[in-house]
Amino acid sequence: MTPLLFTAAVYGWIGFTVGYFFRKWLEGSLLPRFHAQAGSSAEPQGRLRPVLPATEMVDWIDEAGRVLQSLPRAEIRGRNLLHRVTATFVFHPDGRLFVHQRTLTKDVYPGLFDVCVGGTVVSGETCEQNACREVAEELGIRGAPVYALFGHRFADAATNSTIRVFACVYAGPMVFQPEEVADGFWAERSAVAALLAGGRVCPDSAQGWRLYLERHGSRNFAREIAPGLSPIGCDL
């Protein structure tokens, strides 16, 4: 075989091989083989199987509480639209209040202290269901009595919401949700007052705490307030 014919044969073989595998790639027949070689767990590799998070839908409401439209949570936040949230104070039987620090990855008030467990009410969810869900998810509290207290309105440049306030009585162990809670501790009223005075508490829950004090003062919630209330049913 002459050098010219040999070179032509080599290039022909290369062209055939590349064309063959290119066609197979287009047909998708190489994808299962790729995943089989990558590992038996079938986890997504590279960009072949992108995993998209589920979109959390939230109700945009008017001042009367009527639903205007159900929108993705990111759009509610981005446009600062009015929506429903809950805020639950967690009291120790001895009267102390649980305070936690928000993670630095939170979309609203990152790194600030919070005197309640808060949550955005998603479409199709009641405020009562949300309050129970949030204390379970963020602090691992299940089976403790939760009580409905009052509502208030809050708006600033970061959030725009109608807030339903609840209270919980609990003294057991807690499991922090790492995406939400950086740290937490039981605090006396004086310590809470110092945090508020220093501007280190989320402004929406700070407003809720001041309203709570106006209504109930320094009374022990577990001993003096809760006995006159009926707990909501938390089935978690």
Side-chain angles (χ1 to χ4, degrees), residues 86-92 96-100 114-118 131 135 139 141 145-147 149-150 152 163-170 174 186 189 192 196 201-202 204-213 215-216 221:
T86 66
T88 302
F89 299 118
V90 180
F91 288 102
H92 193 280
R96 289 177 295 167
L97 178 68
F98 188 77
V99 178
H100 73 272
D114 211 336
V115 295
C116 62
V117 177
V135 295
L139 302 181
I141 297 176
V146 176
Y147 305 88
L149 298 184
F150 58 88
H152 66 107
I163 304 174
R164 191 65 187 165
V165 178
F166 297 82
C168 174
V169 177
Y170 184 73
M174 296 184 183
W186 294 106
R189 299 288 182 93
V192 176
L196 266 69
V201 177
C202 299
D204 52 353
S205 59
Q207 175 177 287
W209 178 245
R210 294 187 180 100
L211 291 172
Y212 172 86
L213 293 179
R215 288 163 169 76
H216 302 294
F221 182 85

Side-chain angles (χ1 to χ4, degrees), residues 58 62 91 98 104 112 139 152 161 194-195:
V58 175
D62 63 15
F91 288 102
F98 188 77
L104 294 176
L112 288 182
L139 302 181
H152 66 107
S161 58
L195 288 174

